[in-house]
Amino acid sequence: VLVTTIGGGGSEYLDWTYNWLHWLNRPEVVLAPAAQTNSGLPGTWVRSTVEVRNETGVADSFNLSTSGHSWQTGLSHRSTGELANGASFSFTVRARVPGTATVGEQDTVTVHAVSSTDPGQRASATVTTVAHVSAQIDVSPAELEQTQAPGQVTALTLTLSGGPGAPVSYHL
């Protein structure tokens, strides 16, 4: 980039040019993906992977934390260790679906990465966990049997139902 001043007041022009170029090359820390959703059975831990990318222009380390959640959560790491500019670090976010959770119930945790040298360099991402139940079909009665003469119609009732709290539809 060639920067020249024209006439008087060149310092304002240089300041504006520097700020514009700085905006174009916004150094930053990035969490990816910015948002994700995963699901699990009640009473289980659901794991999601998040990546921190250091695009700040200098080597740095980032402190990791969570906020805004109701369900029990955890991180595989609390810090990235030093990352060269352009380097990335993957970690796991865990959320425990409560044993009492109903189908479709969900919780969202916000994950934060903050530079250890410049707290202004920060990023956030969200991880949503949704409760689901395993596929379960109850059939009643377990067996049906009836003998008819040829040409006669037989009508028997077979009841199919889903597991507790599970919205289920059947196509027979």
Side-chain angles (χ1 to χ4, degrees):
V1 174
L2 174 64
V3 177
T4 58
T5 60
I6 302 172
S11 64
E12 292 85 11
Y13 175 78
L14 286 174
D15 287 344
W16 180 87
T17 302
Y18 170 78
N19 289 333
W20 183 74
L21 289 173
H22 182 74
W23 179 84
L24 282 178
N25 297 316
R26 295 183 296 271
E28 62 186 348
V29 57
V30 176
L31 282 176
Q36 63 179 297
T37 301
N38 294 298
S39 63
L41 296 169
T44 64
W45 286 93
V46 176
R47 289 170 174 72
S48 305
T49 301
V50 178
E51 179 183 82
V52 179
R53 278 194 320 271
N54 178 9
E55 297 178 3
T56 63
V58 296
D60 203 347
S61 63
F62 301 90
N63 297 315
L64 307 172
S65 62
T66 61
S67 67
H69 51 87
S70 300
W71 295 354
Q72 186 179 359
T73 63
L75 296 173
S76 61
H77 295 80
R78 289 288 177 187
S79 176
T80 63
E82 186 170 295
L83 296 176
N85 182 52
S88 62
F89 176 84
S90 293
F91 62 98
T92 302
V93 179
R94 297 179 317 274
R96 185 177 187 281
V97 180
T100 58
T102 58
V103 174
E105 190 174 344
Q106 64 184 26
D107 187 46
T108 299
V109 59
T110 302
V111 180
H112 307 277
V114 179
S115 164
S116 61
T117 60
D118 178 4
Q121 290 289 349
R122 57 181 57 235
S124 297
T126 59
V127 176
T128 301
T129 305
V130 181
H132 74 267
V133 297
S134 60
Q136 176 183 335
I137 300 174
D138 294 322
V139 179
S140 178
E143 293 182 25
L144 289 173
E145 184 178 325
Q146 185 175 32
T147 304
Q148 292 289 357
Q152 292 189 331
V153 176
T154 299
L156 299 172
T157 302
L158 178 65
T159 304
L160 304 174
S161 60
V168 182
S169 62
Y170 304 99
H171 301 281
L172 303 175

